[in-house]
Amino acid sequence: QVQLVESGGGSVQAGGSLRLTCSANGYIGSSLFMGWFRQAPGKEREGVAAIRVGTTTYAESAKGRFTISRDYANTILYLEMNSLKPDDTAIYYCAAGAGDTSALDKSTYEDWGQGTQVTVSS
């Protein structure tokens, strides 16, 4: 099991930007999914963006504003978030997995980080 640690969360005003980072304590092959999920209070955890073998997938809410990328050599995952909105407020989780379902489906992932809080004020 790989341990994942997120960082980079914080509080910003609407329109601002944040860059989340996820570091793994072990090797994660490029053929595995790595993704970002988020969970707002009272809501289900939802997929935001995922990457596998260089192919990226984004939720509709993230398209055009968020960019996922991965440093394969160092097994670090990034999420660049721009034009943030109050609706983006949530705990953001990094995940890795070898499942064969959708890239943004929670069941695809086995390993999860503890999450980092993102708060966007209007």
Side-chain angles (χ1 to χ4, degrees):
Q1 188 173 4
V2 176
Q3 288 187 326
L4 303 171
V5 179
E6 305 93 339
S7 61
S11 297
V12 296
Q13 290 191 325
S17 299
L18 284 173
R19 188 193 198 202
L20 305 184
T21 299
C22 171
S23 299
N25 74 341
Y27 177 72
I28 299 175
S30 61
S31 63
L32 271 63
F33 283 104
M34 289 197 76
W36 289 98
F37 287 72
R38 68 186 182 186
Q39 188 166 16
K43 294 188 177 181
E44 292 284 322
R45 190 172 298 189
E46 62 177 2
V48 175
I51 186 169
R52 183 177 73 165
V53 199
T55 297
T56 57
T57 304
Y58 293 94
E60 283 298 321
S61 60
K63 287 181 180 178
R65 300 188 301 125
F66 294 3
T67 302
I68 188 171
S69 60
R70 180 179 170 180
D71 177 342
Y72 286 91
N74 297 297
T75 316
I76 300 174
L77 186 70
Y78 302 99
L79 185 68
E80 186 77 35
M81 303 187 295
N82 298 311
S83 302
L84 283 162
K85 307 173 183 178
D87 284 348
D88 295 318
T89 295
I91 298 174
Y92 283 71
Y93 298 90
C94 171
D100 57 4
T101 50
S102 166
L104 298 181
D105 190 318
K106 295 189 296 291
S107 65
T108 296
Y109 299 85
E110 297 93 36
D111 298 313
W112 294 83
Q114 293 299 307
T116 185
Q117 176 71 47
V118 171
T119 303
V120 184
S121 58
S122 57

